[in-house]
Amino acid sequence: MRVAVLGGGYAGLMVTRKLEERLPPDDELVLVDETGDHLVQHELHRTIRYPGFADDITVPLDALVTRATVREATVADLDPDAGTVALADGGSIEYDAGVVALGSQTADYDIPGVAAHATPLKRLEHAATLRRDFFDAVDPNAGTVAVVGAGLSGIQTAGEFAELADREGVAADVDVVLLERAETVAPSFPEHFRTAARDALRDLGVRLETGTEVTEVTASTVVADDRDVPYDVLAWTGGVRGPDALGGERRAVRADLRLSERTFIAGDAADVVDADGERVPASAQAAVRSAPVVARNVERVLDAARTGDSVRHLEKWAFETPGWLISVGDDAVAQLGPEVFRGTAANVIKTSVGLTYLAEHGSLRDAVAVVRDELGDDRVLPDREDRGF
């Protein structure tokens, strides 16, 4: 039997590791990823300020799996019913059971000018472009950094730009503005978390323009509510769409995460209504937490195929979260249960999560680097300048 996992992000990597534990030795397990590396996506915004941090949040997938074969290729198309995958290099893969974990792309909602002028934040090269645009804008002139979309990614991105301006001594000359269509930042999150995130942004001097709908982007302005917001740097974090291999659609599935008889879907590529009837947010946390259920359901499909029986009852997933964590520059906001923390307490919580993740899925060096960069402890590794920051 062959199992194909498409995508080496949070969901794909975690499902692969679970399947490595559960599948019989004779089963073939293939992990397809277009870069061959696992990117710790929730730390990507950090590389706007510290580009050398990219080495610490990028881990070769070959180093993270034990029996799976990693195939570096781009998925161009797939047929979940037939169990076939077409690759951009002309190759193909057939599978007995598959998992689509291709993540998401940034949505531009067909707003004129976004694709031509705005930079998303999904890849390392995006962060590098935004950093380069920042220095082009502020040297020798003042500038405006506009971030569109005040979800978690947008909040963290705006915070990084504000801290970068302060570190470079140009905070008085750089205006960081965060635009959001909803009436508040982090609109899909609990009220106390939203309030703490808003306060953290204001403390950094970020200008908040909520209740503002962007209708067009030009080479120098964001057109919002029939007024122009000039910009020198434009980061677009305004929502997600499905991967190109799924026609840009996030596929709707129920709590068993089943896309077809032999194919499951996990992570941001899925629009999930869980066992409690709740829509699951697109997040790294949800992707990781869905993986064990997906792996067990894949195992049940394969067991049925081996015996020729029908698939026994598939497990259903209910998303439960202990809370939410984001960085806002050097500050952080953490919600655990009803309690919301900022400052040192939140940074310690966030760092512990990053340390645990990287120590398990990356390396000790990477984990130590997260601690150093989150808590500012330069005793652990050489100075940032020595590491290319």
Side-chain angles (χ1 to χ4, degrees), residues 249-255 257 265-274 278-282 317:
E249 179 186 357
R250 295 180 66 218
R251 293 294 176 88
V253 290
R254 296 192 177 276
L257 301 165
I265 190 167
D268 288 358
D271 181 8
V272 183
V273 174
D274 74 0
E278 300 291 333
R279 177 157 271 108
V280 178
W317 176 52

Side-chain angles (χ1 to χ4, degrees), residues 82-160:
T84 58
V85 180
L87 304 176
D89 61 9
S92 63
I93 297 173
E94 296 182 358
Y95 60 79
D96 299 287
V99 179
V100 179
L102 293 170
S104 63
Q105 303 294 321
T106 302
D108 62 17
Y109 304 108
D110 295 323
I111 296 172
V114 173
H117 302 296
T119 302
L121 188 60
K122 299 293 285 186
R123 300 173 180 271
L124 289 170
E125 53 264 35
H126 295 152
T129 296
L130 289 169
R131 177 180 170 85
R132 183 173 61 250
D133 289 349
F134 174 89
F135 282 103
D136 286 346
V138 303
D139 185 16
N141 304 308
T144 298
V145 177
V147 180
V148 178
L152 301 189
S153 180
I155 291 169
Q156 296 187 132
T157 301
E160 286 304 304

Side-chain angles (χ1 to χ4, degrees), residues 149-150 155 217 234 363:
I155 291 169
V217 172
L234 178 57
S363 70

Side-chain angles (χ1 to χ4, degrees), residues 199-242:
D199 292 346
L201 287 164
R202 286 177 174 170
D203 288 348
L204 283 175
V206 175
R207 178 160 57 95
L208 303 180
E209 297 280 355
T210 55
T212 301
E213 184 169 2
V214 175
T215 56
E216 185 181 356
V217 172
T218 73
S220 60
T221 62
V222 175
V223 181
D225 296 334
D226 297 322
R227 64 187 176 89
D228 290 347
V229 180
Y231 72 85
D232 299 281
V233 183
L234 178 57
W236 189 271
T237 60
V240 297
R241 65 173 180 85

